[in-house]
Amino acid sequence: MAFVNVINCCLDSITEISEELKDAIVYVDSGCAESFKFLGAFPVLLEMGALAVCSLESMSTLDSAIDWNQKSDLQTKVVFFTCRLLTDSHRYILRRLSTHKRVFQCTIYTSISEVGQSAYPDSPLGPDAYHEYQSLLVQDYEELMKKKDSKSNTIHTHNKGNLIPEDEEGWLQLAPRAEDDTPKSPSFSIGHAGQKLIAYVHHFPLILCPFSPKFFVLPSEGSISEAYLSAAQENAISSGLPPLSTGTFHDGEDVPPGVTLTAQFLYHLTTKMELKLEIFSLGDLSRTIGKLITDMSSLYDVGRRKRSAGLLLIDRTVDLLTPCCHGDSLVDRIFSSVPRRTRTVAKVSQTQPNLQRAPLDVQIPLADVLREVPPKTNAQLFEAFLQGWNSYDSATQINTLVSLGDDFSESELLSGSLVSTESFNGTPYLESTLDRRTKDGTILIKKLLQEALRKEKISMNPKTDLQLMVRALAKTQSCFMRNKGIIQLAAATSYAMSEKYRAKWDSFVSAEKILNISAGDTSQDLSRQMCDIINKSCFGESESSSQGLFSVEDAMLLTVTGYILAGENFPTSGSAGPFSWQEEHFLKEAIVDAILENPKLAKYKFLHGLSHDLEANLKKKKDGEVTEEPSKAIESDDDQWGNWGEEEDADKDTSNVYSDMQLKLELRDRVDNLFKFLHKLTNLKGNKGIREMASSLENSIGDDDPYSRKGLLYKLLTRILNKYDVPGLEYHSSTVGRLFKSGFGRFGLGQAKPSLSDQNVLLVFVVGGMNGIEVLEAQEALSESGRADIEVILGGTTFLTPTDMLDLLLGDSSYI
């Protein structure tokens, strides 16, 4: 039986275009770079004959130096990889083309299908989007080269590549073409001053970030993950999450762009994998995506010789509790603590708003792990770069490498990343940590380090600290390169398990357990615990974070968690919350006081516009505390009648008190809106089908059963793999299935409804994103079922951490 391997599918798709990559300069946008890092695809690109691989958005002066390796009579071939809309990448493509001389061929590979390009709101491209864009690109390139030639004839400039301003480049050139001008050939060329450009555009769907052969997410800076999943409406809670399920689904023009792009991606992904889908959905938005994928299918697609597979689409809003909590997952700890790469592009579209998702590309601080002695000079790095790394002089190598120049930061020059294809004796590092909990994963990494040290003939005490093992394994350049995969993962683990981050995570785990236990008792106990956390967070800001004390942002996350727990344990009807008026009043007052003491909370959407007032109020309060005691002493010595004439000062004091009261009243109004939003989160299972499904999952296990504390995905897969029905799970009939049902069914040839448990391949995609603990629990559900004949592949819109969830619910993308 052939196994489905997402990583191999992606790498195979690259090798299929080896002829285009040979002798080409390759540009990748930030989303593709993120994908290729996980895949380990950069060496593959060079093996295919690429001259160099460069960033599409971040231009470097070294880009123009690539032509130095070419002979003067050779023309340049350029290949672009992008996971954005062509209209969004256009200005960068033009800029990179103008950087090189003698460009004769330009090939663009985009992960957005032709239908997706044309159907996107306000897109200037029509149904024949690829051909139209080819013509427009050639036209704009010709105009750009004419401007460049005319300018070079009059003025000699050193900035020939910067003819178009960054903010305006490429936006005004693209416009819908008349029907007569629509090109009919697959390529277009222009001749100008001896140059000839041939442009091609191809669909390249397999641009994704695979953590393992069985788990992937979409690139954080791609058009699919950045597109809105829901519009502002009554049941929507965030543009980056599906709306709350009510039993209805989008149709026609109401479909958000992220829904259409997600459906297009899944359809082409499974087509590339040669899978014949039986589609099931759970949640309103997933139901819409399932319908779109089913409509894209044809008799030809269904009749082809493909492997049968089940596609299960799940709305993230069906279970918001799991990604908000801190589970026992080493990968979740790493992504919550290790620094991330900063976003390359702040805004890519002038017509459509986009989400700002956190980059998946972690910047593993190798400098902190490898440094033994603080560096003394910044010039040593550049000397080491020019002279090469002397593998025989191991005493000063690490210190030399981490001595960084004035113009670069350590995170830019010496940082690692997680690569899913790195392995030791056939054991993939990233995949092995996904399948284990924190303690087991850390032990496994230490064992792999010991095996690598033994292989390199480096003797160390088995009880040696993880960080010291990494330093010993990275003493020489050759040893570092041979073992870079385990070194990077071990460095990330050492960073995530350091006292600072370990204590904070463990504190979250303890607090969430307390809230969970309190939610099993009474609402009064739960509200009391939540108030206590909020009040203590105000005093924890000045303390060391290594002590595990919560910040005010942490308290806000635990408040959201507490309300979701309250909704599950104290169901309410109508708009009333799960707590009594008095319990909620105490919570509101605690949050108001916390905001007054911490103006930085104004970054959340429900407090926008109050940042300056909150900071001024806190400054006035601190200044008043300094002068409070002397003023009291003077007042006590004076006669009360002696101040009767100071009416002007009294009026001034009254106005100050009034302004403070106004701020507090405004805050109370804002906090009231916050709690109305939290009431939405308590009614997550408002849809009858979702409510029945949740109650059936809970009733199928005892209260003392250990997996009652698992996430919904674990419970759902356990029920499916054990061949039980799941209420609320909708099946989307295929084209042939509908034909049998409507036509041949009257002759007794009807087709029985298939079951997910009957499929050998099960692809589960969570619309809105998923986290590491869900991947681990899904693997546990498969192992416990004993179904060795089933492959489970997991996917999601993005990789979620608790901080990401808080930003989605209360940040700029929230519909609070």
Side-chain angles (χ1 to χ4, degrees), residues 133-205:
Y133 180 75
Q134 288 170 179
S135 177
L136 291 168
L137 176 62
V138 171
Q139 177 184 339
D140 289 348
Y141 178 73
E142 182 181 24
E143 293 176 2
L144 178 62
M145 296 306 294
K146 286 180 180 178
K147 291 180 182 179
K148 186 174 181 179
D149 289 343
S150 62
K151 192 166 186 178
S152 62
N153 291 334
T154 55
I155 301 174
H156 294 285
T157 176
H158 298 290
N159 241 343
K160 293 184 180 179
N162 297 333
L163 296 177
I164 302 178
E166 281 281 0
D167 295 336
E168 300 176 4
E169 182 178 11
W171 289 114
L172 301 179
Q173 287 88 344
L174 275 180
R177 295 177 59 86
E179 210 172 300
D180 305 339
D181 300 333
T182 302
K184 298 190 175 146
S185 62
S187 64
F188 303 87
S189 62
I190 58 108
H192 179 69
Q195 299 185 46
K196 182 180 181 181
L197 176 66
I198 303 174
Y200 298 94
V201 180
H202 300 294
H203 188 207
F204 194 83

Side-chain angles (χ1 to χ4, degrees), residues 229 240-242 314 316 357 765-770 796-798 800 805 808:
L229 290 175
L241 293 170
I314 304 175
R316 177 72 274 174
R357 298 213 183 256
F765 189 87
V766 182
V767 183
M770 61 188 305
T797 306
T798 188
L800 292 172
M805 284 300 299
L808 284 171

Side-chain angles (χ1 to χ4, degrees), residues 95-119:
R95 177 175 288 273
R96 301 307 167 252
L97 287 175
S98 66
T99 303
H100 303 284
K101 299 178 181 178
R102 303 179 304 278
V103 177
F104 82 99
Q105 180 175 315
C106 163
T107 306
I108 302 171
Y109 292 97
T110 173
S111 65
I112 310 298
S113 67
E114 198 164 25
V115 176
Q117 300 277 356
S118 60

Side-chain angles (χ1 to χ4, degrees), residues 320-365:
L320 285 180
L321 183 61
T322 302
C324 285
C325 291
H326 296 68
D328 189 12
S329 167
L330 180 58
V331 174
D332 282 340
R333 285 181 182 250
I334 290 174
F335 274 84
S336 295
S337 56
V338 177
R340 310 274 192 100
R341 172 184 55 82
T342 55
R343 288 182 59 88
T344 305
V345 182
K347 184 178 180 180
V348 295
S349 176
Q350 287 190 342
T351 57
Q352 291 292 322
N354 61 297
L355 292 164
Q356 301 289 309
R357 298 213 183 256
L360 299 173
D361 186 12
V362 297
Q363 302 289 294
I364 302 172

